[in-house]
Amino acid sequence: MLPQRLIIIFITLFSLFHHLATAIPTSTCEFTFLDGNKLYNYTISSPIRNFPHGILSEDGFYKVTANETTVWFQLCDEMIFNHDPPTCADCWDCGGPKRCGMECNALVATNVGGYHVCTTIGHGPKIDVDVIDKKNPHTGIIVKMFSSGPKFNCSLAVSVLCNLNGVQGPHTLERLGACDYATELKHPAGCAIIVNVHGGGWGWFATLLIIVLCLFAAYLLAGIVYRFFFLGVRGIDVIPNLDFWVSLPRRAQSLCASLVRKFRGPSQGYRSSYSPVNF
């Protein structure tokens, strides 16, 4: 069991280092983008100054209307309607007529023959997050929501532009296909938290440390595999040079004590062979 666990840990660490080199969504509505020496962190669902709910609308939904088409959406969560709920002839895939819009995160209503027909365009965890412009990550991010149905595969793309002054929009709605829509809003949550990953001379040291740790992990893994499968060693003794690793704390303690004596000089109770003696 021990070699198997170590192999799993090694593979997990290797995958983590590999994925850090590219832009990856860390979880729903959180995104990390590495650009050279700068790490851009977007956590649009987390509380920020003056916006304790992050990107979430305090009304429970955002609403935008254009050309007799209305879209309701809530980024990072399902919608909640305490006022102005959608009135649709058909809303079975998003809560039904009595709870229309309450079981999805994006809904579009189109006027057909005097009736509003609703279609879900964002449902559940089907959310993708990416930066709008990789050459200029300060612009903001784009959140895409999807929904698959018997008639259409629908989507909604919401561009969250960085704006430190407050929330603006959404005001415009664009139809990109049979059931694909796009809109935008300005929000402080679209501004990234920037971390200088190689600043202050730490970059080369971090790289060297990672290389040393990877080499050490490879050495341990190779030694464990060899001793386990070829030498038949079991238990904790499967770790190569176990006696050396166990003795490291004692050696480190002795080294530290030696250095302390060297820099502090002889203690009061210490007397060299040349010390004077009072008779």
Side-chain angles (χ1 to χ4, degrees), residues 87-255:
T87 54
C88 301
D90 182 14
C91 193
W92 294 110
D93 55 348
C94 190
K98 294 183 179 180
R99 289 174 49 85
C100 185
M102 301 287 280
E103 296 181 7
C104 62
N105 46 20
L107 187 73
V108 60
T110 305
N111 194 320
V112 179
Y115 294 93
H116 284 90
V117 178
C118 284
T119 304
T120 300
I121 53 176
H123 200 284
K126 299 178 181 179
I127 298 176
D128 286 343
V129 184
D130 201 355
V131 289
I132 296 176
D133 185 1
K134 287 183 169 60
K135 295 182 180 180
N136 186 15
H138 297 280
T139 304
I141 59 175
I142 183 168
V143 181
K144 295 181 180 179
M145 296 171 278
F146 305 90
S147 178
S148 300
K151 296 181 179 180
F152 299 104
N153 291 326
C154 302
S155 68
L156 173 65
V158 181
S159 298
V160 183
L161 304 177
C162 175
N163 183 35
L164 295 173
N165 298 323
V167 182
Q168 297 179 19
H171 299 301
T172 60
L173 180 65
E174 183 179 0
R175 186 166 183 170
L176 304 178
C179 195
D180 301 298
Y181 299 86
T183 186
E184 69 177 34
L185 59 90
K186 297 179 180 181
H187 199 286
C191 305
I193 299 174
I194 304 173
V195 179
N196 194 346
V197 295
H198 295 301
W202 173 250
W204 66 267
F205 181 76
T207 304
L208 179 62
L209 184 61
I210 291 174
I211 293 174
V212 171
L213 289 176
C214 289
L215 291 175
F216 178 71
Y219 155 75
L220 279 182
L221 181 62
I224 288 172
V225 170
Y226 174 75
R227 291 172 66 82
F228 184 85
F229 291 103
F230 295 95
L231 300 182
V233 180
R234 297 295 184 269
I236 195 172
D237 291 329
V238 76
I239 300 176
N241 298 320
L242 180 62
D243 294 338
F244 172 76
W245 305 121
V246 171
S247 67
L248 272 182
R250 178 177 54 80
R251 293 179 180 223
Q253 184 180 8
S254 299
L255 179 61

Side-chain angles (χ1 to χ4, degrees), residues 55-98:
I55 196 70
L56 295 178
S57 171
E58 294 183 0
D59 292 333
F61 62 93
Y62 292 96
K63 181 180 178 181
V64 57
T65 302
N67 299 327
E68 296 187 346
T69 298
T70 302
V71 169
W72 294 267
F73 66 92
Q74 177 72 294
L75 294 173
C76 311
D77 202 356
E78 293 182 345
M79 293 181 287
I80 299 175
F81 289 96
N82 296 318
H83 65 91
D84 194 20
T87 54
C88 301
D90 182 14
C91 193
W92 294 110
D93 55 348
C94 190
K98 294 183 179 180

